[in-house]
Amino acid sequence: KWEEILQTVKSEYEVTDVPFNTWLKPLKVYEVDGKLITVVVPSEQAAIGVNYISKRYKIPLQVTICVLTGMEECEVRFVLEKDLPKKTEKNTSYDKQVQDTRYEEAHLNPKYTFDTFVVGSNNKFAQAAALAVAESPGDTYNPLFIYGGAGLGKTHLMHSIAHFILEHDENSHVLYVTSEEFTNELIETIRNGNNTAMSKFREKYRNIDVLLVDDIQFIIGKESTQEEFFHTFNSLHSAKKQIIISSDKPPKDMEILEERFRSRFEWGLIADITLPDYETRMAILHKNEEMNGYNISEDVIKYIATNIKSNIRELEGAFNKVMAGAKLEKKEVTLELAEQALKDIISPDEKKVITPEYIISVVAEHYGVTPADLSGNKRNSKIVMPRQVSMYLCREIISTPLKNIGKALGNRDHTTVMHGIEKIENELQNDDNLKNTIDILKKKINPQG
Ligand code: ADP
Ligand code: MG
């Protein structure tokens, strides 16, 4: 598996995160022809990138491929994406998942599959329903409506369904979108203002076999988005195409939901995910331990499972924090170290306060980057934008002083922070996409607010 090969190069050759994410992670296998393996380098990296990658990583990749696949010898060749011969029928599939662009088109996190989803009493029903739908999409429950609080596994389960269908039916077209993506795409289409853009949008959403819409609560109440979604829903449903929806609440508790939506959402099956009990929390921590190849004392696992009950995202966050603490101090993972690492999270009075760190973690997750990226020095737009959004939200939601915002973001000075906030304020004037994203982030950070 290509992923595994890259990860092995990373650990065997001690490639740190930044070069790994810059050079290795974007590489894709184009084709395998006997012992010649053609690897695609993203066009942005140009010839310099190809030379550098080749000089630095060619041998490590060849060695690792031989070790992991059992090939006797192999030759890796790097090609810029734009120099690839135009697509022809090439089917020497080396790694189906890499070759198959349907996975990318469907926007899926490769880690979120049924295999990695721990089943417990809190999610047993939802998981069974998800699996049933994945096994015969369109034939069982339509729509499948999954609801539950933040960080309890809705997105993981939805991606699992999508992965399963893609794997078992190579002709089916699956599309996963967050309701934010749906909205922003619609805003974009409307701004373009012509009929072809609109009919393209409709065509895209009405010509798929399985549509998954995550966090539907964010489009309810947005008139035009809601209207468009209604039509998409009707046309897919009447064509017996599978629809899967997630939300933070059941339809009956969504106050501003119009009746026509409520009844449609209730046509199929409604499944909830609740808080994990102690056994499930233990099982999830053990799964994390196993997947990362750690071996941690049972005391530590029990300590985390006993104290973090709010949701699975925080449970995993606490686990990672302990592991990072141990790595940083080059120490064994002991109960004492865990207590130290988690002293800010596990507070005696259990009441949740919104801190800059919390805001940063939500923003990072939303944009698919890590909090460390946001505190770090990277300056590419994929990082700078969410970094400035974090600054803006710290100011907006909890009025954090500029100095403290800077501190939470890797000790930046207050003028940088001010500049970042102003930048977002200016862009908000005429960027509806950004406005929509900021609204959603505010609701994610402070659902009561
Ligand atoms: P939600 O969409 O409900 O907010 P996510 O699906 O994003 O929650 O889950 C948050 C994190 O917890 C993810 O990293 C996910 O992999 C993990 N997670 C949630 N439920 C489970 C489970 N049952 N087994 C393993 N990991 C889980
Ligand atoms: Mg989610």
Side-chain angles (χ1 to χ4, degrees):
K1 210 147 174 248
W2 185 238
E3 277 281 309
E4 190 185 340
I5 290 170
L6 292 178
Q7 286 300 337
T8 310
V9 170
K10 180 174 193 289
S11 55
E12 286 297 310
Y13 293 85
E14 299 187 355
V15 183
T16 54
D17 283 346
V18 176
F20 178 77
N21 290 331
T22 313
W23 305 114
L24 288 176
K25 209 166 154 210
L27 299 179
K28 298 253 151 74
V29 173
Y30 175 69
E31 83 178 326
V32 180
D33 186 3
K35 54 186 183 178
L36 181 68
I37 298 162
T38 308
V39 171
V40 190
V41 179
S43 298
E44 309 88 87
Q45 300 192 342
I48 306 175
V50 173
N51 282 336
Y52 180 80
I53 292 168
S54 174
K55 212 163 100 194
R56 197 75 184 245
Y57 299 114
K58 183 173 171 153
I59 305 284
L61 278 168
Q62 291 178 354
V63 171
T64 310
I65 290 170
C66 288
V67 171
L68 289 184
T69 63
M71 284 166 97
E72 294 222 326
E73 53 174 345
C74 65
E75 168 77 20
V76 171
R77 190 171 65 115
F78 299 93
V79 188
L80 272 184
E81 203 171 356
K82 67 174 167 53
D83 298 337
L84 281 178
K86 287 275 161 298
K87 266 200 199 115
T88 49
E89 279 292 62
K90 290 252 160 73
N91 266 328
T92 33
S93 166
Y94 168 70
D95 183 341
K96 200 160 133 245
Q97 191 142 338
V98 169
Q99 293 250 322
D100 197 334
T101 55
R102 294 180 311 153
Y103 287 85
E104 256 174 50
E105 284 163 9
H107 300 279
L108 299 176
N109 181 334
K111 279 188 273 182
Y112 292 174
T113 61
F114 281 119
D115 291 341
T116 58
F117 190 84
V118 174
V119 181
S121 56
N122 64 316
N123 59 26
K124 212 163 58 199
F125 182 67
Q127 192 266 358
L131 193 57
V133 162
E135 283 172 335
S136 44
D139 281 346
T140 44
Y141 313 112
N142 204 9
L144 172 63
F145 189 101
I146 302 171
Y147 76 90
L152 294 180
K154 301 182 295 297
T155 298
H156 189 141
L157 209 46
M158 290 182 99
H159 285 212
S160 305
I161 299 173
H163 276 294
F164 190 97
I165 296 174
L166 286 174
E167 236 160 75
H168 288 82
D169 177 359
E170 58 182 44
N171 295 318
S172 77
H173 288 278
V174 176
L175 180 65
Y176 166 89
V177 281
T178 62
S179 63
E180 176 193 8
E181 283 160 349
F182 185 85
T183 305
N184 287 352
E185 207 177 323
L186 186 67
I187 291 173
E188 225 31 77
T189 306
I190 293 172
R191 164 156 350 124
N192 283 340
N194 59 35
N195 289 335
T196 41
M198 199 59 211
S199 50
K200 258 199 184 141
F201 178 91
R202 296 203 167 130
E203 201 181 319
K204 171 176 167 192
Y205 280 94
R206 293 172 199 186
N207 280 328
I208 45 187
D209 303 305
V210 181
L211 176 66
L212 304 103
V213 183
D214 207 351
D215 289 324
I216 195 87
Q217 71 270 20
F218 296 130
I219 69 170
I220 300 308
K222 287 191 176 133
E223 292 275 332
S224 52
T225 315
Q226 188 173 294
E227 196 58 35
E228 192 59 38
F229 178 70
F230 184 72
H231 294 300
T232 306
F233 183 103
N234 285 346
S235 101
L236 289 172
H237 194 275
S238 61
K240 293 210 161 19
K241 307 293 191 184
Q242 181 69 48
I243 302 160
I244 299 139
I245 297 169
S246 85
S247 168
D248 63 346
K249 298 188 208 52
K252 68 174 172 36
D253 293 346
M254 298 170 86
E255 289 106 19
I256 47 175
L257 189 63
E258 289 171 42
E259 195 45 43
R260 55 183 180 151
F261 278 103
R262 200 184 316 276
S263 62
R264 274 171 179 74
F265 289 168
E266 290 171 351
W267 275 347
L269 181 73
I270 302 183
D272 67 339
I273 303 185
T274 55
L275 286 174
D277 58 16
Y278 176 73
E279 280 69 35
T280 312
R281 298 200 296 276
M282 287 293 287
I284 288 170
L285 290 171
H286 279 134
K287 182 108 195 173
N288 263 291
E289 179 188 17
E290 179 198 322
M291 286 196 320
N292 288 297
Y294 297 138
N295 186 5
I296 304 162
S297 105
E298 199 64 7
D299 283 353
V300 173
I301 305 255
K302 281 187 186 154
Y303 174 74
I304 301 175
T306 309
N307 286 289
I308 311 278
K309 302 177 193 151
S310 46
N311 68 52
I312 297 169
R313 182 172 302 129
E314 296 199 356
L315 190 70
E316 288 184 338
F319 177 87
N320 291 336
K321 205 159 177 186
V322 171
M323 300 313 297
K327 224 181 225 163
L328 202 70
E329 302 189 21
K330 299 210 168 58
K331 278 189 192 152
E332 287 257 332
V333 183
T334 57
L335 190 55
E336 207 188 343
L337 182 135
E339 282 170 359
Q340 180 59 26
L342 298 181
K343 66 177 188 311
D344 296 337
I345 303 182
I346 300 176
S347 58
D349 57 357
E350 277 278 328
K351 99 170 167 289
K352 188 165 173 112
V353 283
I354 301 174
T355 59
E357 286 73 20
Y358 181 69
I359 293 179
I360 292 165
S361 75
V362 174
V363 173
E365 188 197 299
H366 190 85
Y367 282 96
V369 297
T370 66
D373 287 333
L374 299 188
S375 317
N377 290 321
K378 270 186 241 168
R379 280 156 177 276
N380 56 338
S381 57
K382 249 176 91 182
I383 307 282
V384 171
M385 172 78 172
R387 185 182 288 142
Q388 292 173 336
V389 166
S390 318
M391 294 172 179
Y392 174 83
L393 289 172
C394 285
R395 188 70 179 184
E396 273 279 302
I397 300 175
I398 49 175
S399 313
T400 315
L402 297 178
K403 225 174 73 196
N404 298 3
I405 298 177
K407 213 158 128 201
L409 283 163
N411 281 322
R412 294 186 145 71
D413 68 40
H414 73 280
T415 48
T416 310
V417 175
M418 199 160 66
H419 170 78
I421 294 174
E422 276 167 6
K423 180 93 187 300
I424 298 297
E425 281 170 350
N426 286 336
E427 275 174 30
L428 278 175
Q429 308 276 326
N430 40 34
D431 185 343
D432 290 343
N433 276 342
L434 182 63
K435 211 151 59 197
N436 181 44
T437 300
I438 296 274
D439 280 349
I440 289 174
L441 281 166
K442 280 185 182 165
K443 280 195 222 158
K444 279 195 174 175
I445 292 163
N446 188 8
Q448 276 79 264

